[in-house]
């Protein structure tokens, strides 16, 4: 067996041993000492301790090391094994340093209750932790994987080491934040959807109970919230997305004609996309104000934009104004890459402006248009700030979108399990729509 395969086996062994590893927690309350054991997988999903975020990073790095070693990429495998070993070692150090670990308080309190000790939470002043032998074996395996699988550090081989590892140095910051702050919360969020959780105590696994309530229990409040919120979200996507494509495309076409002051106008159109959603919505809240807003006072408009059905008009205007700049820049780049000889050939054939746009411009912009369509749909499905700041839950929740209910239930009402189930359903809707759009994109590219 080659060194690469041995290293790959050790990296895989780390992941397997992790599933059987555990931690022991001990505390003393009123001269009574109790100890409890908790497996690493259960500890990982306790969602109660910051050092636990290092575990997914270690597991992902170990899997990446296994794949690299299997493909005989020794240097890359060594790098990922090193990251996994360091991440897991840091987790063990920081986790054991916590004096009162929230992840272990629930099983400790249950053990104290079984010992018939009457106590309050403040009585548990110190929870000491110790890892079992399997945890140290797992750490040893991933460390040995790094040592055994490394490539040569000889002077004549350093250029190969640099060639193999330099690309990962560039993507390392993004990869770290992606795993820790995107992939890990996403996994935790999906798990929380199958639990009953109040954000403070340990989640209780309930299986599909949350989804049964949301999808089939018509007498339940969350059932009604899902339908109203998802319906309003879809309505907003249908109303807003066409304008998010048409308006920036029109501006890009106008600026592509190189009018006088086009650079100034390009900067002005792009400026809103640099602002935060809070700044944008609060500004437009004053613009549409019924008593002293610019729209009503200067243009003599009688409509109350904070009452249905005009609220949808206001929300679409605010969103399009905010999102136009970045999409416009993409279209400008696409227009600049259209071959001029095609326009000249169309002009020779007697094509007018509209015919040139339909037969020359659009065919050369299929991919940018499909890309911005996908991103616009995904972005508008995640709408939250505009309706939350402008209208909130007023007007009988006529404009409340699903993310508002998710935030309200999880943060303010601490019904995190049900909110996570709502978020999973929203995510599935976005995935289905995006998959259909991507398939359309592929078919257009093949055609």
């Amino acid at each position: 067996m080659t060194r690469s395969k041995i290293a790959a086996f050790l990296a895989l062994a780390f992941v397997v041993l992790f599933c059987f590893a555990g931690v022991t927690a001990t505390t003393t309350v009123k001269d009574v000492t109790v100890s409890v054991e908790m497996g690493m997988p259960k500890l990982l999903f306790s969602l109660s301790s910051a050092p636990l975020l290092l575990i997914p990073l270690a597991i992902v790095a170990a899997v990446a090391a296994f794949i690299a070693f299997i493909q005989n990429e020794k240097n890359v495998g060594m790098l990922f094994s090193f990251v996994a070993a360091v991440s897991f070692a840091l987790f063990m150090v920081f986790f054991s340093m916590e004096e009162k670990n929230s992840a272990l308080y629930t099983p400790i309190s249950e053990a104290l209750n079984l010992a018939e000790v009457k106590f309050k939470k403040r009585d548990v002043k110190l929870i000491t932790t110790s890892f079992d032998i399997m945890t140290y074996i797992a750490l040893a395996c991933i460390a040995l994987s790094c040592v055994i699988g490394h490539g040569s550090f000889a002077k004549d081989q350093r250029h190969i080491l640099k060639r193999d590892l330099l690309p990962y140095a560039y993507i390392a910051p993004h990869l770290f934040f992606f795993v820790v702050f995107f992939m890990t919360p996403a996994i935790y969020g999906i798990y929380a959807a199958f639990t009953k959780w109040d954000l403070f105590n340990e989640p209780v696994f309930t299986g599909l109970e949350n989804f049964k309530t949301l999808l089939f229990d018509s007498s339940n409040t969350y059932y009604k919230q899902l339908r109203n919120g998802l319906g309003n979200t879809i309505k907003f996507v249908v109303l807003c997305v066409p304008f998010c494509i048409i308006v920036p495309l029109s501006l890009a076409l106008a600026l592509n004609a190189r009018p006088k002051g086009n650079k100034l106008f390009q900067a002005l159109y792009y400026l809103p996309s640099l602002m935060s959603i809070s700044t944008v919505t609060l500004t437009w809240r004053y613009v549409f104000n019924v008593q002293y807003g610019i729209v009503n006072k200067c243009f003599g408009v009688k409509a109350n934009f904070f009452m249905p059905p005009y609220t949808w008009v206001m929300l679409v205007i605010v969103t399009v104004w905010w999102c136009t700049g970045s999409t416009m820049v993409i279209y400008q780049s696409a227009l600049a890459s259209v071959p001029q000889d095609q326009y000249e050939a169309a002009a020779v054939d007697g094509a007018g402006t509209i015919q040139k746009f339909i037969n020359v411009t659009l065919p050369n912009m299929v991919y940018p248009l499909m890309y911005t369509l996908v991103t616009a749909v995904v972005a508008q499905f995640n709408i939250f700030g505009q309706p939350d700041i402008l209208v909130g839950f007023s007007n009988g929740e006529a404009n409340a979108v699903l993310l508002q209910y998710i935030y309200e239930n999880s943060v303010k009402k601490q019904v995190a399990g049900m909110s996570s189930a709502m978020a999973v359903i929203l995510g599935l809707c976005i995935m289905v729509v995006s998959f259909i759009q991507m398939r359309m994109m592929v078919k257009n590219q093949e055609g």
Side-chain angles (χ1 to χ4, degrees):
M1 186 179 290
T2 63
R3 292 175 62 181
S4 291
K5 289 184 178 179
I6 295 174
F9 172 78
L10 289 170
L12 183 62
F14 165 76
V15 178
V16 174
L17 291 172
F18 169 82
C19 298
F20 297 97
V23 62
T24 301
T26 305
T27 190
T28 300
V29 176
K30 297 181 179 180
D31 297 327
V32 177
T33 301
V34 295
S35 296
V36 295
E37 295 181 358
M38 181 181 288
M40 280 292 177
K42 185 177 180 180
L43 182 67
L44 176 61
F45 287 101
S46 63
L47 311 178
S48 304
S49 179
L52 292 174
L53 293 174
L54 291 167
I55 296 180
L57 181 63
I59 293 175
V60 170
V63 172
F66 170 76
I67 296 172
F69 284 130
I70 286 295
Q71 296 178 346
N72 205 30
E73 296 285 344
K74 295 182 180 180
N75 293 328
V76 177
M78 175 197 66
L79 173 66
F80 281 112
S81 293
F82 177 76
V83 171
V86 171
S87 301
F88 196 66
L90 288 175
F91 152 72
M92 293 175 65
V93 171
F94 291 133
F95 190 80
S96 60
M97 287 173 62
E98 292 189 354
E99 294 185 354
K100 192 175 179 180
N101 200 299
S102 301
L104 300 171
Y105 176 76
T106 299
I108 281 288
S109 62
E110 292 175 356
L112 288 170
N113 288 327
L114 289 174
E116 298 182 351
V117 178
K118 294 182 179 180
F119 71 100
K120 295 182 179 180
K121 192 171 184 178
R122 64 173 177 266
D123 296 327
V124 183
K125 300 184 183 299
L126 177 65
I127 300 177
T128 58
T129 57
S130 60
F131 298 97
D132 63 13
I133 187 63
M134 201 68 73
T135 308
Y136 290 100
I137 294 175
L139 178 61
C141 283
I142 194 63
L144 283 173
S145 176
C146 176
V147 173
I148 293 175
H150 75 78
S152 175
F153 291 104
K155 190 173 182 180
D156 58 341
Q157 295 293 318
R158 288 178 185 174
H159 70 283
I160 299 176
L161 184 68
K162 182 179 179 180
R163 181 200 65 192
D164 291 343
L165 299 186
L166 188 60
Y168 294 95
Y170 288 109
I171 68 171
H174 173 77
L175 193 61
F176 172 80
F177 288 110
F178 175 78
V179 173
V180 174
F181 296 108
F182 180 80
M183 183 183 293
T184 302
I187 295 172
Y188 283 160
I190 294 172
Y191 169 74
F194 298 92
T195 66
K196 183 179 180 181
W197 186 34
D198 61 2
L199 292 178
F200 297 103
N201 298 308
E202 187 177 345
V204 178
F205 187 79
T206 58
L208 297 173
E209 193 63 35
N210 291 335
F211 293 97
K212 289 179 182 178
T213 301
L214 288 173
L215 299 175
F216 304 110
D217 189 357
S218 58
S219 63
N220 193 281
T221 302
Y222 302 118
Y223 173 93
K224 298 173 183 177
Q225 288 181 352
L226 176 67
R227 270 145 187 77
N228 184 58
L230 187 58
N232 286 336
T233 301
I234 294 173
K235 184 187 297 184
F236 177 78
V237 171
V238 172
L239 292 173
C240 188
V241 169
F243 292 101
C244 288
I245 302 298
I246 294 171
V247 172
L249 179 60
S250 302
L251 293 175
L253 288 168
L255 292 173
N256 193 54
R258 300 290 190 276
K260 188 175 181 180
N262 66 307
K263 295 297 182 182
L264 173 63
F265 284 108
Q266 179 180 342
L268 291 175
Y269 293 143
Y270 185 73
L271 184 62
S273 63
L274 300 177
M275 300 179 184
S276 68
I277 186 60
S278 301
T279 303
V280 170
T281 48
L282 289 174
T283 301
W284 280 96
R285 187 180 179 87
Y286 286 107
V287 171
F288 284 110
N289 189 278
V290 178
Q291 296 178 343
Y292 49 80
I294 296 174
V295 174
N296 284 26
K297 287 294 183 182
C298 296
F299 298 101
V301 178
K302 303 293 184 181
N304 183 353
F305 286 94
F306 296 91
M307 295 288 291
Y310 301 106
T311 44
W312 290 115
V313 177
M314 176 177 62
L315 290 171
V316 169
I317 290 174
V318 172
T319 304
V320 172
W321 185 81
W322 183 45
C323 299
T324 289
S326 55
T327 308
M328 179 194 70
V329 171
I330 295 174
Y331 292 156
Q332 283 185 288
S333 177
L335 287 169
S337 64
V338 177
Q340 291 299 313
D341 56 351
Q342 294 186 14
Y343 287 114
E344 294 170 1
V348 171
D349 292 337
T353 303
I354 296 177
Q355 291 175 317
K356 288 180 182 178
F357 174 73
I358 295 174
N359 297 304
V360 178
T361 305
L362 284 182
N364 283 281
M365 293 184 64
V366 170
Y367 186 81
L369 285 169
M370 289 301 300
Y371 168 77
T372 52
L373 177 62
V374 173
T375 55
V377 169
V378 172
Q380 304 321 324
F381 258 108
N382 286 289
I383 180 177
F384 171 74
Q386 302 94 303
D388 190 61
I389 296 175
L390 290 172
V391 292
F393 290 99
S394 60
N395 306 319
E397 303 181 1
N399 302 104
V401 295
L402 190 55
L403 273 180
Q404 284 181 267
Y405 288 120
I406 293 172
Y407 173 79
E408 182 78 11
N409 291 327
S410 61
V411 177
K412 295 185 177 181
K413 298 180 180 179
Q414 286 86 46
V415 192
M418 190 66 69
S419 300
S420 297
M422 287 184 179
V424 168
I425 292 173
L426 177 62
L428 289 174
C429 292
I430 296 174
M431 288 176 62
V432 170
V433 174
S434 300
F435 175 77
I436 294 172
Q437 291 176 312
M438 293 297 290
R439 291 297 300 171
M440 292 171 57
M441 187 186 301
V442 171
K443 285 183 179 180
N444 279 325
Q445 214 171 16
E446 292 174 351

